[in-house]
Amino acid sequence: MIWARLLAGGPVNPQRLFGELKRRNVYRVAIAYGVVAWLLIQIATQVFPFFEIPSWCVRLVVLVIACAFPLALICAWAFELTPEGLKRTDEVAPAKSITRSTGRKLDFVIIAVLLLVIAVFAYQRFTSAHRASATSLDVPEKSIAVLPLENLSDDKENAFFADGLQDDILTSLAKIRDLKVISRTSVMGYRGNATPHLPAIGQALRVANVLEGSVRRERDRVLVNVKLIDARNDRQVWAERYERDLADVLTLQGELAREIATALRATLSPEEKARMETKPTNNPQAYVLYLQAREYQTRVSALLADLQTAEQIYEQALRVDPNFALAHARLSDTASRIHHWFQPTDAYKTKARLEAEKSLELQPDLGEGHVALALCFYWGAGDYNNALREFQAAARALPNNAEIGLYTASIARRQGRWSESLAAFRSAQELDPRNAQLALQIANLYLFLRDWPAAAQAWDRVVELQPGVLYPRRFRAYLDVLWKGDTTSSRSVLASLPSGVDAEGLITLERWNLSLIERDFDAAERAVAECRVDSIPAVSGPPLPKSFLEGCISLARGDAAGARTSLEAARSHFERELLAAPEDATRHAYMGLVDAYLGRNEEAIHEGRRATELKPESKDALDGAQIAGFLALIYARTGETEQALALIRRLLATPGAVDNFVESITLNDLRLRWEWDPLRNDPRFQKLIAGAEPATIHK
């Protein structure tokens, strides 16, 4: 026997050995084993994650298959399949051996399976190439979108925890410069059962890979399952299951980010590795509070109440852990938003600055801390150079943060660099293609340039991105008023709104505004009478009291005496607002406008000019132009016709002097609004509004 010769150390005839291996079908068994092993491994990698079987089980299957391979070859050599069953090869007479017949059957099986494998590979390659050509040829290989994690907790109130963990994973990945990471706002629309096919998501977001998964939290235990999918061919690249105590979750996002980066073959610098290994806090309670606050801060609605709730919860987190640098940065960010959009008081301005500086004192390389400080310079002080310096520092730590691009584009717009601003917004959109706020900024930029067709197309995109949100539909309809002088669409949209959706009075304000444009004073009165709040918060500027709206209706009717009582009450309101924020240009502008309505001409002009001093166009090309629009209206209402006409002519060709309220300077605003009636009989004004709209001049 050959094996006996080998064991005895005697000479072995190689030709006879290979011939015997062939006769006993050892080669065929090796090939068949390899094909079946490949099939089993494919099944394990695709099916195990579906049943939430840990990824180490896949590795165990591979290990068992590899260890069993030599055993399969030994069995093929030592045994033969006969009609009577399995027998030792040495016990089967050569004349009765059916190894040749068995070999032919193995050949057919191997050929059939190999053809199947070739067909599968060909299909995958064809569909992958087809999808790639159908989507884009320049989708980066190392690009990823982190989808919302499904909340599997029994307590559905823990949804904030799943969202927060997803946000942290995404943020950790976004710190890797070698990756392209889609921002949070673009992926949140894929939450829930309506999630489309993964290749469709990859196509929409222009990424090669998608991470999906689930979170289950039970008291202080957290179970996380994640899968990394190649969206081009719907193939799983990597999967893992983590079961941790809540305290250990603090390091989970960094660990996940490192494993995903490894799977995508991304290169990490030493600084990036260090940032991912840094825990945001050592206190689990503070971390959970942080996640709750973050959920309120990032709500699309961006209501004052949401921001104030986020502010309170961040403060709770900081009482638990005063050294939580990231929470200090987020609290600063929240305070800046409240100061910029709703309450421009010194208290919020100071709070934002102190919290930003504290975050950087605790963690000097914290990207979010540099963003927070940049916002203090940008929104709080109008110091664009220092703001840009801080945004650049933030971008080094957060290379995939689209929000930084949004802010720098906004600064370029305020500096009057309109074309550069548009290009920067478009660049930020590459990292956040479904961000409705970015799309809205692009739409507004076209609006400020009075490029009506482009603005309409861009606003249609905003509506598409936020089909369930009322504001984009309302403003897209109002665009027809500015562009064509047509109120039909706006009236139709407002009429279609259900009752009980106007908690803050913003829809009342739009109905009042549109009714006055249409000179339907009764409708304006009904809108104000049905309003359930005494003052309406503006997106920027002071809240508007109902007395201001009522006084304007009376004045538009020509009832100056009847308007006086309401306008005096409104003036007292604006006086209080000015005491709280004496350096706010918009508050001075409204005070000047009310004084003009009341016939206090000197005070009105003084306030209007003071507003332009606080917010000159040379310092802020956007808000400055709108403040100048207030001054033009004040001149018109106080009999300063020459100055009003000169300013109107200039503003008609100036970017930014466009809004959906009284200070807007477009031809259709001048034609339709009652506020400009004092100029209505002036031949120069009549000639101006009868002509074509002049081109808006910008660089």
Side-chain angles (χ1 to χ4, degrees), residues 157 160 184-185 292-303 305-307 309-310 313 337 341 437 466:
E157 294 298 319
F160 79 87
R184 183 178 189 270
T185 44
Q292 285 179 308
R294 184 76 174 138
E295 193 275 327
Y296 281 99
Q297 184 193 3
T298 56
R299 286 185 176 179
V300 176
S301 56
L303 298 175
D306 290 336
L307 292 174
T309 302
I313 302 176
R337 292 173 192 276
W341 291 333
Q437 180 63 24
Q466 293 186 308

Short mmCIF file of all heavy atoms in Angstrom, two decimals, residues 157 160 184-185 292-303 305-307 309-310 313 337 341 437 466:
data_model
loop_
_atom_site.label_atom_id
_atom_site.label_comp_id
_atom_site.label_asym_id
_atom_site.label_seq_id
_atom_site.Cartn_x
_atom_site.Cartn_y
_atom_site.Cartn_z
N GLU A 157 -40.47 55.70 24.31
CA GLU A 157 -39.88 56.99 24.67
C GLU A 157 -38.37 56.98 24.49
O GLU A 157 -37.72 58.01 24.50
CB GLU A 157 -40.24 57.34 26.12
CG GLU A 157 -41.72 57.60 26.34
CD GLU A 157 -42.22 58.79 25.54
OE1 GLU A 157 -41.49 59.80 25.46
OE2 GLU A 157 -43.32 58.71 24.97
N PHE A 160 -35.38 58.68 21.41
CA PHE A 160 -34.33 59.70 21.45
C PHE A 160 -32.96 59.05 21.62
O PHE A 160 -31.95 59.55 21.11
CB PHE A 160 -34.57 60.69 22.59
CG PHE A 160 -34.17 60.19 23.95
CD1 PHE A 160 -32.88 60.34 24.43
CD2 PHE A 160 -35.09 59.52 24.75
CE1 PHE A 160 -32.51 59.86 25.68
CE2 PHE A 160 -34.74 59.05 26.00
CZ PHE A 160 -33.45 59.21 26.47
N ARG A 184 -26.53 64.22 9.01
CA ARG A 184 -27.69 63.64 9.68
C ARG A 184 -29.01 64.06 9.04
O ARG A 184 -29.92 63.23 8.88
CB ARG A 184 -27.67 64.08 11.15
CG ARG A 184 -28.78 63.51 12.01
CD ARG A 184 -28.62 63.98 13.44
NE ARG A 184 -29.53 63.30 14.34
CZ ARG A 184 -30.76 63.73 14.63
NH1 ARG A 184 -31.20 64.84 14.08
NH2 ARG A 184 -31.53 63.05 15.47
N THR A 185 -29.14 65.31 8.66
CA THR A 185 -30.41 65.80 8.15
C THR A 185 -30.83 65.10 6.87
O THR A 185 -32.03 64.96 6.60
CB THR A 185 -30.34 67.31 7.90
OG1 THR A 185 -29.11 67.62 7.24
CG2 THR A 185 -30.40 68.08 9.19
N GLN A 292 -31.20 63.45 25.03
CA GLN A 292 -32.54 64.01 25.06
C GLN A 292 -32.54 65.46 24.56
O GLN A 292 -33.38 65.86 23.74
CB GLN A 292 -33.10 63.97 26.49
CG GLN A 292 -33.53 62.59 26.95
CD GLN A 292 -34.05 62.62 28.38
OE1 GLN A 292 -33.38 63.13 29.27
NE2 GLN A 292 -35.23 62.07 28.60
N ALA A 293 -31.59 66.24 25.05
CA ALA A 293 -31.50 67.65 24.63
C ALA A 293 -31.21 67.75 23.14
O ALA A 293 -31.77 68.61 22.44
CB ALA A 293 -30.42 68.36 25.44
N ARG A 294 -30.35 66.91 22.65
CA ARG A 294 -29.96 66.94 21.23
C ARG A 294 -31.17 66.69 20.33
O ARG A 294 -31.28 67.28 19.26
CB ARG A 294 -28.88 65.89 20.99
CG ARG A 294 -28.30 65.87 19.60
CD ARG A 294 -27.37 67.00 19.37
NE ARG A 294 -26.73 66.89 18.06
CZ ARG A 294 -26.53 67.89 17.24
NH1 ARG A 294 -26.87 69.11 17.60
NH2 ARG A 294 -25.94 67.71 16.07
N GLU A 295 -32.08 65.83 20.78
CA GLU A 295 -33.27 65.54 19.99
C GLU A 295 -34.12 66.80 19.82
O GLU A 295 -34.63 67.09 18.73
CB GLU A 295 -34.08 64.44 20.68
CG GLU A 295 -35.17 63.82 19.80
CD GLU A 295 -36.48 64.60 19.84
OE1 GLU A 295 -36.79 65.17 20.92
OE2 GLU A 295 -37.18 64.67 18.82
N TYR A 296 -34.27 67.59 20.88
CA TYR A 296 -35.03 68.85 20.79
C TYR A 296 -34.28 69.88 19.94
O TYR A 296 -34.87 70.61 19.15
CB TYR A 296 -35.29 69.42 22.18
CG TYR A 296 -36.43 68.75 22.91
CD1 TYR A 296 -36.19 67.77 23.86
CD2 TYR A 296 -37.75 69.10 22.63
CE1 TYR A 296 -37.24 67.14 24.53
CE2 TYR A 296 -38.81 68.48 23.29
CZ TYR A 296 -38.54 67.51 24.24
OH TYR A 296 -39.58 66.90 24.89
N GLN A 297 -32.97 69.94 20.10
CA GLN A 297 -32.18 70.95 19.39
C GLN A 297 -32.21 70.75 17.88
O GLN A 297 -32.17 71.71 17.12
CB GLN A 297 -30.73 70.93 19.88
CG GLN A 297 -29.86 72.02 19.27
CD GLN A 297 -28.39 71.80 19.51
OE1 GLN A 297 -27.99 70.79 20.09
NE2 GLN A 297 -27.57 72.73 19.08
N THR A 298 -32.27 69.50 17.44
CA THR A 298 -32.15 69.20 16.01
C THR A 298 -33.50 69.03 15.32
O THR A 298 -33.54 68.61 14.17
CB THR A 298 -31.31 67.93 15.80
OG1 THR A 298 -31.89 66.84 16.54
CG2 THR A 298 -29.89 68.14 16.26
N ARG A 299 -34.58 69.33 15.99
CA ARG A 299 -35.89 69.22 15.34
C ARG A 299 -35.98 70.17 14.15
O ARG A 299 -35.53 71.31 14.21
CB ARG A 299 -37.01 69.52 16.34
CG ARG A 299 -37.23 68.38 17.33
CD ARG A 299 -38.42 68.64 18.24
NE ARG A 299 -38.65 67.50 19.12
CZ ARG A 299 -39.61 67.45 20.03
NH1 ARG A 299 -40.43 68.48 20.18
NH2 ARG A 299 -39.75 66.37 20.78
N VAL A 300 -36.60 69.69 13.08
CA VAL A 300 -36.68 70.46 11.85
C VAL A 300 -37.48 71.75 12.06
O VAL A 300 -37.17 72.79 11.47
CB VAL A 300 -37.34 69.62 10.73
CG1 VAL A 300 -37.53 70.44 9.47
CG2 VAL A 300 -36.48 68.39 10.44
N SER A 301 -38.49 71.71 12.93
CA SER A 301 -39.34 72.88 13.13
C SER A 301 -38.59 74.07 13.69
O SER A 301 -38.92 75.22 13.41
CB SER A 301 -40.49 72.52 14.10
OG SER A 301 -39.97 72.02 15.31
N ALA A 302 -37.52 73.82 14.50
CA ALA A 302 -36.69 74.89 15.08
C ALA A 302 -37.53 75.95 15.79
O ALA A 302 -37.28 77.14 15.69
CB ALA A 302 -35.82 75.54 14.00
N LEU A 303 -38.53 75.50 16.55
CA LEU A 303 -39.37 76.43 17.29
C LEU A 303 -38.65 76.92 18.55
O LEU A 303 -37.78 76.22 19.09
CB LEU A 303 -40.68 75.76 17.69
CG LEU A 303 -41.59 75.28 16.53
CD1 LEU A 303 -42.79 74.53 17.09
CD2 LEU A 303 -42.04 76.46 15.68
N ALA A 305 -39.83 77.12 21.50
CA ALA A 305 -40.11 76.21 22.62
C ALA A 305 -39.17 75.00 22.62
O ALA A 305 -38.71 74.55 23.68
CB ALA A 305 -41.57 75.75 22.57
N ASP A 306 -38.88 74.47 21.43
CA ASP A 306 -37.96 73.32 21.33
C ASP A 306 -36.55 73.71 21.77
O ASP A 306 -35.88 72.96 22.49
CB ASP A 306 -37.93 72.79 19.89
CG ASP A 306 -39.23 72.12 19.49
OD1 ASP A 306 -39.95 71.66 20.40
OD2 ASP A 306 -39.52 72.08 18.29
N LEU A 307 -36.10 74.86 21.31
CA LEU A 307 -34.75 75.31 21.68
C LEU A 307 -34.65 75.59 23.17
O LEU A 307 -33.63 75.29 23.81
CB LEU A 307 -34.39 76.56 20.88
CG LEU A 307 -34.19 76.34 19.37
CD1 LEU A 307 -33.98 77.67 18.66
CD2 LEU A 307 -33.02 75.41 19.09
N THR A 309 -36.41 74.11 25.51
CA THR A 309 -36.39 72.81 26.17
C THR A 309 -35.00 72.18 26.09
O THR A 309 -34.49 71.63 27.07
CB THR A 309 -37.44 71.87 25.54
OG1 THR A 309 -38.73 72.46 25.65
CG2 THR A 309 -37.44 70.51 26.24
N ALA A 310 -34.38 72.26 24.92
CA ALA A 310 -33.02 71.75 24.76
C ALA A 310 -32.07 72.46 25.71
O ALA A 310 -31.21 71.83 26.35
CB ALA A 310 -32.56 71.92 23.32
N ILE A 313 -32.45 71.07 29.26
CA ILE A 313 -31.94 69.71 29.47
C ILE A 313 -30.42 69.69 29.39
O ILE A 313 -29.76 68.95 30.14
CB ILE A 313 -32.57 68.73 28.45
CG1 ILE A 313 -34.10 68.75 28.58
CG2 ILE A 313 -32.07 67.31 28.70
CD1 ILE A 313 -34.82 67.90 27.55
N ARG A 337 -28.69 80.34 18.79
CA ARG A 337 -29.88 80.26 17.92
C ARG A 337 -31.04 81.07 18.53
O ARG A 337 -31.75 81.77 17.81
CB ARG A 337 -30.28 78.80 17.71
CG ARG A 337 -29.27 78.02 16.88
CD ARG A 337 -29.59 76.54 16.82
NE ARG A 337 -28.46 75.81 16.27
CZ ARG A 337 -28.23 75.65 14.96
NH1 ARG A 337 -29.08 76.16 14.09
NH2 ARG A 337 -27.17 74.99 14.54
N TRP A 341 -32.40 84.21 16.40
CA TRP A 341 -33.70 84.09 15.76
C TRP A 341 -34.85 84.67 16.57
O TRP A 341 -35.85 85.11 15.99
CB TRP A 341 -34.01 82.62 15.46
CG TRP A 341 -33.16 82.04 14.39
CD1 TRP A 341 -32.56 82.69 13.36
CD2 TRP A 341 -32.81 80.66 14.23
NE1 TRP A 341 -31.85 81.82 12.57
CE2 TRP A 341 -31.99 80.55 13.09
CE3 TRP A 341 -33.10 79.50 14.94
CZ2 TRP A 341 -31.47 79.35 12.64
CZ3 TRP A 341 -32.58 78.29 14.49
CH2 TRP A 341 -31.77 78.22 13.35
N GLN A 437 -32.89 72.54 4.89
CA GLN A 437 -32.41 73.87 5.27
C GLN A 437 -31.41 74.40 4.24
O GLN A 437 -31.45 75.58 3.86
CB GLN A 437 -31.79 73.82 6.66
CG GLN A 437 -31.25 75.15 7.17
CD GLN A 437 -32.31 76.22 7.32
OE1 GLN A 437 -33.48 75.91 7.49
NE2 GLN A 437 -31.90 77.48 7.25
N GLN A 466 -39.61 68.30 2.02
CA GLN A 466 -40.42 68.40 3.24
C GLN A 466 -41.91 68.37 2.89
O GLN A 466 -42.64 69.33 3.11
CB GLN A 466 -40.09 69.68 3.99
CG GLN A 466 -38.68 69.71 4.58
CD GLN A 466 -38.45 70.94 5.43
OE1 GLN A 466 -38.70 72.06 5.01
NE2 GLN A 466 -37.98 70.74 6.65
#
